[in-house]
Amino acid sequence: MKFWRLLWRVVDYVMAIILLLMIVLVFANVVLRYGLSSGLREAVELSRLGLVWLVMLGAAVLLRRNEHLAIAEFSEVLMPRLVPLLRRLAYLVVVISMVMLFMGSFKQMNANWNNISQITGLPSALFYLAGTVSAALMVFIGAVRVFLPDALLDDDAQDTHAGDFHA
């Protein structure tokens, strides 16, 4: 469990650093563009890359914390005994869809390693790498939760029953 806590803490820090860098890049670009009639050519592409990574890692973090938007009122009211089974089925759907995302983004990542950006000099495969990493994390979370729906939650989230798929 210590490894997973460390992993998720690192992911949180990486997301915070990406967000901070995006803010600095965009702000500096705006100041340079409107104040000095110049700008950072790389800022637009790097902030776009940061946004892709932020969204994809954020999706994995939200799945782990069980904070995705879900509408469970009907199932909880009409079929309360089936809710544990429905949760497991939902995670099975997550696993299947994330396996498809992983396969597609992995193929695109491999196909684009030699496609180098003229502005930053970075491979465009970095955009697809975000999908590959995020999908791998979400496949793991979903696969574990098919069998243990409240697994991988923070200790305080388990105490407050955050694994209840509420919106």
Side-chain angles (χ1 to χ4, degrees), residues 62-113:
L62 287 176
L63 182 63
R64 181 189 64 89
R65 293 180 182 166
N66 215 7
E67 294 178 352
H68 275 286
L69 181 63
I71 301 172
E73 283 75 23
F74 296 113
S75 61
E76 289 178 353
V77 171
L78 299 176
M79 306 171 279
R81 291 184 182 154
L82 291 179
V83 169
L85 175 65
L86 293 175
R87 262 191 223 143
R88 286 179 166 92
L89 287 175
Y91 282 119
L92 186 62
V93 170
V94 167
V95 168
I96 292 168
S97 59
M98 289 303 106
V99 165
M100 292 189 310
L101 175 65
F102 179 85
M103 290 171 23
S105 60
F106 187 77
K107 286 179 184 178
Q108 286 298 316
M109 180 189 68
N110 286 328
N112 285 288
W113 273 116

Side-chain angles (χ1 to χ4, degrees), residues 13-29 40 42-43 46-48 50-51 54:
Y13 284 131
V14 167
M15 288 174 51
I17 290 168
I18 290 172
L19 183 60
L20 179 67
L21 291 175
M22 286 174 54
I23 291 169
V24 168
L25 275 173
V26 171
F27 181 74
N29 200 29
L40 301 171
E42 298 86 2
L46 289 174
S47 61
R48 187 178 328 134
L51 181 64
L54 196 62

Side-chain angles (χ1 to χ4, degrees), residues 117-134:
S117 167
Q118 296 297 318
I119 296 173
T120 61
L122 297 172
S124 63
L126 293 176
F127 287 98
Y128 304 107
L129 180 62
T132 305
V133 169
S134 177

